[in-house]
Amino acid sequence: NANATSLTLYVNTSAVTTGATLVTITPPNAATTFFAGTSNTTYYFWLRTHNGYGAGPLTGPINATTYPDPVGFNSLNLASNSVSQVFNWNLQSAPPATAYNIYRRLSPSGPYSSVLTVTASPTPSLPVTFNIPSSAGRTYDYYMTARNAAGEGAASATLTLSIPPSEAPGLSATSGVTNTAVEVALSWQVVSGQGVTAYQVYRSTTPTGGYGLIGSSAGTTFLDASGLTPGGTYYYKVLSDNGILS
């Protein structure tokens, strides 16, 4: 209003003027920010103009929702299959988030990229497991954001997840009995490009379970010469170890 000498802005978090905050704007200036709200909140606004003859009618309300809070990113773990990721975070409900975005980079300094968007309807049942493709032997940094009607909020805290290296391929075993010992010579192929520094050797008397650690090797061979019985059958597994996971 070109004749207005001041404006009164009514601000409330409900669609009634009762209890509204009043902000007097003198002189009127449509290009200035006159109210600083809090995140993840819907506000209602009314406006009244004033001039030398008095106050004009109250107009409004119009409403606007501020950007969501940073997500409370509580935990990130590897699933039991050592491939999938288990996420847990705080859902935002007042006002509700419409979606949650997951970002990832190769730790510690790769560029972040969006890897998954989780819609908020239906409400996710947390914790929730996702199978975001990952490379064996790598460590990743993750953060989350929430999205509502206003747009995308600020980033959450960053959580880190390491993926175990690949199993050692090409495992072979050669048994031998001498007059002094029963031995099994094991060999396998090297696991490259995953930071592997050692190989853990496990043994069992059944193929389905009961494996116990019997030693480790920095190379691709291992001689098992302890606790073996002539004529016995033994099963072996070799897990690669990169100092973080095996």
Side-chain angles (χ1 to χ4, degrees), residues 143-242:
Y143 73 82
M144 297 184 65
T145 64
R147 180 174 289 277
N148 64 12
E152 187 174 20
S156 71
T158 299
L159 298 183
T160 298
L161 185 67
S162 296
I163 308 301
S166 303
E167 291 187 8
L171 176 62
S172 64
T174 302
S175 62
V177 179
T178 69
N179 59 353
T180 57
V182 179
E183 300 174 341
V184 175
L186 302 172
S187 63
W188 54 89
Q189 297 173 21
V190 66
V191 176
S192 60
Q194 298 179 31
V196 172
T197 57
Y199 299 89
Q200 309 295 334
V201 182
Y202 292 79
R203 185 181 70 195
S204 176
T205 56
T206 65
T208 57
Y211 284 89
L213 178 66
I214 59 171
S216 65
S217 172
T220 57
T221 60
F222 182 84
L223 182 64
D224 182 15
S226 175
L228 300 175
T229 301
T233 300
Y234 299 93
Y235 300 87
Y236 294 87
K237 289 184 177 182
V238 176
L239 301 183
S240 46
D241 187 342
N242 63 2

Side-chain angles (χ1 to χ4, degrees), residues 109-123:
S109 58
Y112 278 101
S113 60
S114 176
V115 292
L116 188 66
T117 297
V118 184
T119 59
S121 181
T123 302

